[in-house]
Amino acid sequence: MGAVKYPLVAEIKRNSLDDGPGVRSVVFFKGCPLSCVWCHNPECIDPDPEIMYKAETCIGCGECAKVCPKNAIGPDGPAKLDREKCDLCGKCVDECPSGALSMVGKRYEVLELADLLARDKAFYDNSGGGVTLSGGEPTMFMDYVAELARELKGRGIRVLLETSGMFEWDRFKNNLLPHLDRIFVDMKIVDPEDHKKYAGLDSRRIQENIARLAALDTPPVLIRTPLIPGVTATPGNLIAIASRLKELGVGEIGLLPYNPLWVSKARAMDKDVKYSREEWMSKEERESVKKIFAHFKLARDF
């Protein structure tokens, strides 16, 4: 996880009310060391640029195929985009009249991105909001993100980090932590081997970092669990999470119910969908989870 001078940003979501207190701008960095089979931001796993194709928007004009210098788009249109041939020149994206094709990933210099985020400072100040650094995994780009956080803090903008916890502690502590106002960290799966099975890497480093974060006096840290039916939202795993939080002296948890909308994004980028559930969590499923965490304060309505 070496530093990258100018990492790609997949999206900047303004006026968000879901990723921390108040009105926020959320920066989704592109790149993650994990490969969770349920990833709700599949466009943020690969640190390199990617082309997204939304079939429902395509008008079948064929302009993309005409301009492709590598013949990566055949007569069937971008639905059959040959990503092995594609060199990401972006000509098809530029020619697409309907916006069905888009390039995911844009680079910003630190001051450029800080200026862009600072445009909404009045909304942050009036609502108790700020900027959320998300992804992907922002700490993959520790030097860049630390410089950005420092610049934002210097402008009086609160900074929240959303992280998987998969980072080198000393670099995080020395470079990024001093510039954060709040941290959200995910405890997905306690068992290291199950975590490796479903997320690509075992959970030992994550568990160590969560323990360190939970022991901090400041900034405030919220431990969250994404609830993936049959994977993280199993009685055994949830009981293990509750037990671990109790050991750490944590009395509050954020529960993130499963959202099936990620599946269409993964398919739009030709990603292998290894976990697929089209339904939202039922009321009964939610109630069974709440019983396990009955002695914890829930960070938001669930």
Side-chain angles (χ1 to χ4, degrees):
M1 290 189 288
V4 175
K5 188 173 183 181
Y6 297 121
L8 287 170
V9 172
E11 181 185 4
I12 299 173
K13 183 179 178 182
R14 300 172 67 190
N15 300 317
S16 173
L17 300 174
D18 298 323
D19 294 88
V23 176
R24 314 194 69 83
S25 291
V26 187
V27 183
F28 293 92
F29 287 97
K30 197 169 181 341
C32 184
L34 301 182
S35 53
C36 302
V37 297
W38 68 85
C39 181
H40 281 39
N41 296 319
E43 72 279 15
C44 294
I45 297 176
D46 192 326
D48 295 321
E50 294 176 280
I51 289 179
M52 180 179 285
Y53 169 61
K54 296 181 179 179
E56 65 275 14
T57 307
C58 182
I59 59 175
C61 65
E63 293 301 314
C64 55
K66 294 177 184 177
V67 300
C68 179
K70 298 294 184 179
N71 295 317
I73 302 175
D76 293 329
K80 298 294 184 180
L81 172 65
D82 189 333
R83 295 180 184 269
E84 292 296 322
K85 290 183 178 179
C86 176
D87 65 358
L88 298 169
C89 70
K91 291 181 179 180
C92 61
V93 174
D94 294 338
E95 288 298 318
C96 180
S98 67
L101 288 167
S102 61
M103 186 72 72
V104 182
K106 181 177 179 179
R107 300 187 195 278
Y108 297 87
E109 294 189 6
V110 169
L111 291 180
E112 179 188 10
L113 183 52
D115 287 343
L116 182 62
L117 297 168
R119 294 178 186 177
D120 290 334
K121 187 174 185 300
F123 296 102
Y124 309 150
D125 293 345
N126 290 333
S127 67
V131 170
T132 297
L133 308 176
S134 188
E137 177 52 57
T139 62
M140 273 187 70
F141 319 105
M142 195 79 77
D143 294 342
Y144 178 96
V145 171
E147 187 178 345
L148 175 62
R150 182 170 58 250
E151 179 66 27
L152 292 171
K153 286 284 288 181
R155 301 186 190 202
I157 297 173
R158 301 177 187 87
V159 181
L160 186 155
L161 173 72
E162 289 186 328
T163 177
S164 68
M166 183 61 76
F167 53 74
E168 183 183 338
W169 177 257
D170 287 341
R171 286 190 67 211
F172 170 79
K173 180 182 177 182
N174 295 329
N175 295 353
L176 182 53
L177 182 60
H179 312 299
L180 299 176
D181 295 281
R182 190 178 292 247
I183 300 170
F184 289 172
V185 59
D186 289 351
M187 185 179 286
K188 300 178 177 73
I189 302 173
V190 174
D191 181 79
E193 292 307 313
D194 282 346
H195 195 280
K196 184 175 182 178
K197 175 182 177 181
Y198 292 110
L201 295 172
D202 75 50
S203 61
R204 290 181 178 89
R205 170 173 278 189
I206 293 173
Q207 294 298 325
E208 291 170 357
N209 286 338
I210 286 177
R212 294 177 176 123
L213 290 171
L216 293 176
D217 293 325
T218 185
V221 175
L222 175 65
I223 298 171
R224 309 184 303 176
T225 295
L227 299 171
I228 313 303
V231 181
T232 68
T234 64
N237 184 56
L238 295 179
I239 290 171
I241 289 174
S243 176
R244 182 66 177 136
L245 294 183
K246 185 177 180 181
E247 291 174 3
L248 296 175
V250 175
E252 181 179 19
I253 187 172
L255 298 176
L256 307 176
Y258 177 72
N259 180 340
L261 299 180
W262 70 273
V263 178
S264 62
K265 289 197 294 181
R267 289 172 177 160
M269 303 182 77
D270 288 339
K271 292 188 180 294
D272 185 17
V273 178
K274 298 178 181 179
Y275 175 90
S276 179
R277 167 170 158 152
E278 305 292 339
E279 304 83 23
W280 298 74
M281 291 189 75
S282 66
K283 181 179 179 180
E284 291 74 21
E285 287 174 314
R286 290 176 179 235
E287 289 301 318
S288 65
V289 171
K290 287 173 70 174
K291 289 179 181 178
I292 293 174
F293 295 99
H295 298 294
F296 290 82
K297 176 184 177 183
L298 300 185
R300 59 186 299 177
D301 292 336
F302 172 71

